[in-house]
Amino acid sequence: MTACAIEPPSTDGTDGVPGTVFALTADGAYAARLASAGDSWFPERWTLDGPEPYAVPLPGDQPEEPGTEVQPLSDGRVLIHRLVERRHAFSLLYPTGPGTGELPLGAVECPEPGTRLTLLPPAPGGTRAYALAVGPRSSAVWLVAGGAFGPERLAEVPGRCSGGVWLDRAGRMLALDRELGGPVKTVVVDLERAEVSPLLQIAADSDDRLLLADPDSGLLLISSDAPSPGQERLGWGVLGSTLPVRFPESLRVPDCAVTPFAVQPGQVLMPESCAVALRIDGPYGSWVGVWRPAGRRVDHLPAPLGWLAGAGLWTPEEVLRLPYATQETPCGVAELTVPKAEAAAERDASARSGNADPEGTVQGLDGTAGGAPGAPSQQPEPEPAEQVTARPVPLQQAPLGRLVTN
């Protein structure tokens, strides 16, 4: 069992653990990060739902440690997670005129050696925050903000867990990647019933992880070595579907790491039309890719200078908002407008018929061939034959299948 005990509220300590670089609320209204001022660090809240983004510093009585975790809530307060020896202290920060107010929420103690506790991604709704305590033999999900009586342990999961993807708008169903004496498999934790059930198993001996999920369409972005043993590949599936997970060749960018970080919302029952934002890291730096399951190519877009790489979200109008910070603009948001789903589908169909861009080119931001500096040319290829990937056996059997039609 993960040995973590609740302690009463306290404000002592500023030691940190590896933390969140930049966190966005699910609706994109607020963000938070740990900003630097010379050799010191302090929490900073970004307000993003107004006409112009702006940042509010929330310094405490003393500087924070570089790895201290912060997370915004929907009311504008910022949750801060500090580690003092083996005690994990949580507080809410808010601006109070020239100073910073702090509301202690309590602490979680993890005396068992090897246990690590970190914040989970921001939950839908933005009124609650959760943490994952990973011990040598089991993991525990904690409610650390938004409860009635301080930190509360909600569920215990056998095995060592990582990741964390929300599968519904209510913030009840949480997917975790679990290692339990074998390959990594994704499970679902029902936080209301404290029940654990399987979600993703592509092959018996493959490492299968869930990277992103869109509750509206049911689109899932998956990492697995099932189609290429020993090599992780990106794939996609649909929650509740009986179709196998697919691993498009278009998501393989030579000599680059490709990580999905945002899915277009609002595409109810239209997973193949969802735009997916990708962070692409290569020998020439980082840039942005945009891909749709219905398409067979990635559009490569240059990232704004100072992009907080891997952070961003889609608006319902299909605009990709990317936060950035430079010396001249310490709090900025760049908006990238990408081709609409219908235009992208027509372009891909035309390209396959030989009436548009020749195969083997990459569309840049302005529609010319080339894309980001160093982005390799990439030929749109058909989906691999379905027999090369095994059916994700529990995917259609998970208790979340009903969410696809909500």
Side-chain angles (χ1 to χ4, degrees), residues 299-338:
D299 289 316
H300 294 261
L301 313 176
L305 183 65
W307 178 40
L308 300 169
L313 79 159
W314 290 97
T315 69
E317 295 75 29
E318 208 162 338
V319 174
L320 180 60
R321 308 191 76 207
L322 301 175
Y324 68 93
T326 64
Q327 187 173 0
E328 296 77 16
T329 308
C331 174
V333 176
E335 295 190 344
L336 300 183
T337 302
V338 301

Side-chain angles (χ1 to χ4, degrees), residues 207-306:
D207 287 323
D208 308 319
R209 295 177 173 87
L210 182 63
L211 305 180
L212 279 180
D214 175 56
D216 295 334
S217 64
L219 178 65
L220 305 178
L221 277 299
I222 294 159
S223 170
S224 176
D225 61 357
S228 304
Q231 179 183 1
E232 294 289 333
R233 289 188 55 180
L234 289 182
W236 68 280
V238 179
L239 193 63
S241 173
T242 58
L243 295 176
V245 170
R246 297 186 180 184
F247 295 87
E249 287 296 318
S250 57
L251 290 177
R252 304 182 73 179
V253 183
D255 301 320
C256 293
V258 181
T259 307
F261 65 88
V263 181
Q264 176 190 357
Q267 301 295 101
V268 179
L269 300 180
M270 298 175 62
E272 294 192 359
S273 299
C274 286
V276 179
L278 309 169
R279 170 183 174 176
I280 305 176
D281 298 293
Y284 296 93
S286 300
W287 63 93
V288 180
V290 175
W291 169 86
R292 289 180 177 84
R296 305 194 176 188
R297 62 187 301 138
V298 173
D299 289 316
H300 294 261
L301 313 176
L305 183 65

Side-chain angles (χ1 to χ4, degrees), residues 40-222:
S40 62
W41 297 83
F42 61 91
E44 185 178 74
R45 187 197 71 190
W46 289 27
T47 300
L48 305 175
D49 60 349
E52 293 290 338
Y54 65 91
V56 176
L58 297 172
D61 295 332
Q62 62 187 64
E64 307 292 345
E65 291 296 316
T68 300
E69 289 188 304
V70 292
Q71 188 171 114
L73 300 183
S74 60
D75 60 5
R77 294 182 294 179
V78 173
L79 173 69
I80 188 167
H81 167 211
R82 304 181 179 108
L83 177 64
V84 186
E85 295 180 350
R86 293 178 182 172
R87 293 175 57 253
H88 298 264
F90 299 92
S91 296
L92 290 176
L93 307 178
Y94 53 93
T96 57
T100 301
E102 181 166 343
L103 175 64
L105 299 177
V108 174
E109 184 176 6
C110 298
E112 189 172 9
T115 298
R116 183 183 178 211
L117 186 145
T118 56
L119 293 178
L120 285 163
T127 60
R128 294 186 165 201
Y130 300 83
L132 179 66
V134 183
R137 294 173 298 277
S138 67
S139 304
V141 179
W142 287 78
L143 173 66
V144 296
F149 307 104
E152 176 186 357
R153 186 165 66 179
L154 301 180
E156 192 85 13
V157 183
R160 296 180 60 83
C161 294
S162 60
V165 176
W166 297 100
L167 297 174
D168 63 341
R169 295 293 183 193
R172 171 178 171 178
M173 298 296 187
L174 174 68
L176 296 171
D177 301 323
R178 178 175 69 172
E179 188 275 320
L180 184 61
V184 177
K185 302 294 180 185
T186 303
V187 297
V188 179
V189 184
D190 184 331
L191 298 181
E192 186 173 298
R193 297 183 177 181
E195 295 177 350
V196 181
S197 58
L199 176 67
L200 184 64
Q201 179 173 306
I202 299 177
D205 57 350
S206 61
D207 287 323
D208 308 319
R209 295 177 173 87
L210 182 63
L211 305 180
L212 279 180
D214 175 56
D216 295 334
S217 64
L219 178 65
L220 305 178
L221 277 299
I222 294 159

